Amino acid sequence: MSQQGVTPQSEDFARWYTDVVQKADLADYSPVRGCMIIKPYGYELWEGVKAGLDRRFKATGHQNAYFPLFIPESFLKREAEHVEGFSPELAVVTIGGGKELEEPLVVRPTSETIIGWAFQKWIQSHRDLPLLINQWANVVRWELRTRLFLRTMEFLWQEGHTAHATHEEAEAETLQMLGVYEDFAVNDAAIPVIPGRKSDQERFAGAVFSYSIEAMMRDRKALQAGTSHDLGQNFARAFDIRYTDENNELQYCWTTSWGLSTRMVGAIVMTHGDDKGLRLPPRLAPIQVVVVPIYRTAEEQGPVMDAVNRVSTALREAGLRVHVDARANLSPGFKFNDWEMRGVPLRVEIGPKDVANHTVALARRDIAGREGKQFVPQAGLVETVRALLDDIQASLLRQATEFRDQHLHEVRSYAELVEVVDDEWALAWFCGGAACEAKIKDETQATSRCFPLKQPHPGESGPCVVCGQPAREMAYFAKAY
Ligand SMILES: [Zn+2]
């Protein structure tokens, strides 16, 4: 494990990110360009994301299933927009078992097509609806420019796929799952995301409407952290997903899909991290509390380790994720830096003085320096630690929200928009037109992130920031990952 620091965020944010991901032991590069090796600490963080989402999916009536990695190439071609959107990034298997395949197989970039094929078999009557399925899987998209967690050729995700009798129900499902993502991001990951609708240009290939949660990273760039799509009847028609209604008439279903990936790990790193490394929200941190024994002599070691074992056992029995750093031959200072790099929310230090006074020293990761440090009695430590972890969770969300709000600006003119999106987010009246969107993208490299569901001036309208035509909604614009 390296003891050297990371590149400061202010110096080179991209380098900072790569340094932290590697030095905090989240992930590493692989021999295959564009793929990554997720290390145990990073995978545990992802497992926390999975658990938080899976619980919410089940609470809203969804069931998990698993579909094949390979999809017949012809399936992709059935939905015209879908194949156009995904063709450039497909990995295709043409040889299997040493023989050329009759029909090439696509390694799934997403599973609307193969799940649509299965739905067509599973659904006959209105009594089979709604059908609410989720799959945890890996997908492959042949990306040319990749970055650990943020954009990799193979990544892990979940993809929800549902079928409904009416468009209203499908739209309600799409928004419900967007709400689930928002709830997870805000309450578990402490990321104050903005839920909204994508412009026509930015929507998913094959969707009628796409929605996303958008997050601001510490470099003020936007990251799309989860998406939810109203697919209308596009895939139902392409895969003949039909049901007989109450009048015994055949109707096409209305389907949705929604996904959140290992990108979320990158979002957590870039929302909370600082120049000392990661800062993890307690609800997702693989280790919530690290206990560091401090002693110099063999006489001190015995009583210190007794106290460390007593304290860590009590915290563990209370259901907290605790690690004791009993590594010999490493100084406490080295250990402090190491756990700060890994973003552990709370550090407990126990030395000979603490043994004598029946106290421990606590150091919070969310507040730097002396202000984050306190000495508390060993009695009642479980309650103290629980309350502190709750406070750290809330404090990370508050810090991220304040940071975001400082860098959001409502703009009234195109000149103002150009200036703001160079480094921050602009909120502007936007007609949603392709020409207006293209002009902004060409001239600023910023894209429309979303029309926020919560409009700042509901019921009002204003002139589109580009063309001046009346617009009924405002949209966020920013440079994005
Ligand atoms: Zn316009």
Side-chain angles (χ1 to χ4, degrees):
M1 213 169 308
S2 170
Q3 184 61 6
Q4 289 147 12
V6 295
T7 308
Q9 288 186 349
S10 56
E11 197 180 301
D12 184 342
F13 193 84
R15 277 276 308 279
W16 169 85
Y17 175 76
T18 309
D19 285 356
V20 168
V21 166
Q22 291 186 276
K23 289 190 175 171
D25 257 344
L26 295 179
D28 209 344
Y29 295 102
S30 88
V32 181
R33 190 197 58 80
C35 292
M36 71 171 163
I37 294 167
I38 305 177
K39 297 176 83 172
Y41 194 60
Y43 198 79
E44 269 191 281
L45 186 53
W46 171 240
E47 284 177 318
V49 173
K50 275 180 82 170
L53 287 172
D54 207 61
R55 190 175 66 243
R56 288 169 169 88
F57 296 160
K58 284 172 181 158
T60 44
H62 302 83
Q63 288 182 302
N64 287 331
Y66 188 80
F67 297 84
L69 170 69
F70 301 120
I71 300 176
E73 194 180 40
S74 60
F75 278 28
L76 269 292
K77 294 178 177 158
R78 289 205 208 167
E79 214 290 329
E81 258 192 46
H82 193 64
V83 68
E84 200 193 312
F86 280 102
S87 281
E89 17 183 87
L90 293 182
V92 185
V93 179
T94 55
I95 294 173
K99 281 188 193 145
E100 189 130 342
L101 301 177
E102 270 178 42
E103 180 180 359
L105 297 172
V106 168
V107 181
R108 65 181 162 217
T110 177
S111 303
E112 278 76 8
T113 57
I114 197 155
I115 293 180
W117 182 87
F119 275 15
Q120 159 262 315
K121 292 179 65 173
W122 296 357
I123 298 168
Q124 270 97 44
S125 126
H126 60 92
R127 284 180 293 274
D128 299 324
L129 299 174
L131 183 56
L132 309 173
I133 297 295
N134 177 62
Q135 141 164 293
W136 288 99
N138 58 341
V139 287
V140 168
R141 296 178 187 177
W142 213 263
E143 302 276 3
L144 295 178
R145 297 186 56 207
T146 58
R147 297 188 63 190
L148 296 171
F149 288 112
L150 301 175
R151 196 174 290 279
T152 46
M153 288 217 312
E154 179 193 10
F155 57 88
L156 305 182
W157 78 344
Q158 60 68 218
E159 47 180 320
H161 296 270
T162 69
H164 307 262
T166 67
H167 195 202
E168 292 68 40
E169 281 177 43
E171 186 65 14
E173 165 79 6
T174 309
L175 290 170
Q176 172 184 253
M177 299 325 285
L178 187 74
V180 162
Y181 289 153
E182 182 191 6
D183 182 58
F184 166 80
V186 172
N187 292 309
D188 288 12
I191 301 177
V193 293
I194 295 175
R197 194 183 78 253
K198 299 302 265 189
S199 71
D200 284 349
Q201 292 67 243
E202 294 283 323
R203 91 187 131 69
F204 177 75
V208 177
F209 293 114
S210 283
Y211 299 85
S212 67
I213 49 169
E214 299 285 330
M216 185 188 286
M217 304 294 99
R218 294 285 303 180
D219 61 352
R220 298 172 295 284
K221 277 196 195 162
L223 186 132
Q224 177 178 290
T227 52
S228 186
H229 313 291
D230 173 353
L231 302 173
Q233 292 181 316
N234 293 343
F235 286 89
R237 286 177 189 279
F239 287 89
D240 203 32
I241 313 171
R242 292 196 280 178
Y243 70 98
T244 49
D245 67 13
E246 277 109 340
N247 305 319
N248 227 22
E249 277 173 41
L250 261 184
Q251 306 282 358
Y252 283 106
C253 288
W254 301 83
T255 66
T256 82
S257 68
W258 26 276
L260 187 149
S261 74
T262 32
R263 236 185 172 208
M264 179 51 82
V265 173
I268 293 166
V269 174
M270 291 197 295
T271 299
H272 302 302
D274 65 14
D275 287 347
K276 288 179 169 180
L278 289 177
R279 297 194 307 165
L280 295 180
R283 290 208 184 126
L284 296 179
I287 299 170
Q288 295 171 306
V289 182
V290 62
V291 183
V292 181
I294 299 168
Y295 54 82
R296 251 165 289 153
T297 63
E299 293 86 76
E300 288 174 353
Q301 183 179 1
V304 165
M305 287 314 294
D306 285 347
V308 163
N309 291 332
R310 203 169 52 245
V311 162
S312 57
T313 302
L315 292 171
R316 261 190 213 114
E317 281 173 357
L320 298 168
R321 298 187 287 277
V322 180
H323 177 77
V324 175
D325 188 352
R327 289 178 291 178
N329 311 321
L330 288 178
S331 71
F334 180 100
K335 292 179 180 179
F336 295 172
N337 290 339
D338 195 20
W339 296 110
E340 280 171 359
M341 177 67 72
R342 287 158 172 263
V344 174
L346 192 64
R347 183 173 75 232
V348 177
E349 303 163 17
I350 302 179
K353 268 191 200 158
D354 301 300
V355 172
N357 298 336
H358 304 286
T359 57
V360 302
L362 298 176
R364 298 169 63 137
R365 180 65 181 89
D366 63 315
I367 302 175
R370 211 168 272 167
E371 274 173 67
K373 206 146 179 193
Q374 53 183 296
F375 297 87
V376 302
Q378 288 177 23
L381 188 65
V382 166
E383 288 69 32
T384 308
V385 165
R386 272 217 185 100
L388 268 176
L389 290 175
D390 283 348
D391 201 55
I392 294 168
Q393 180 82 29
S395 144
L396 286 176
L397 178 62
R398 195 168 52 243
Q399 290 180 34
T401 307
E402 281 167 8
F403 180 84
R404 183 198 67 183
D405 291 346
Q406 275 167 18
H407 299 289
L408 292 180
H409 304 287
E410 197 172 313
V411 301
R412 294 283 158 173
S413 71
Y414 185 70
E416 227 185 314
L417 178 129
V418 170
E419 200 187 312
V420 167
V421 297
D422 185 46
D423 200 27
E424 298 178 290
W425 291 25
L427 179 63
W429 291 108
F430 178 43
C431 70
C436 293
E437 176 125 34
K439 180 178 160 78
I440 292 176
K441 200 169 179 176
D442 290 348
E443 293 178 3
T444 70
Q445 280 101 54
T447 49
S448 75
R449 302 318 307 157
C450 68
F451 294 100
L453 295 187
K454 212 172 132 197
Q455 283 285 313
H457 309 289
E460 289 178 37
S461 61
C464 169
V465 72
V466 186
C467 67
Q469 295 296 307
R472 285 178 307 157
E473 289 173 292
M474 297 189 102
Y476 284 105
F477 292 89
K479 292 178 186 165
Y481 280 97

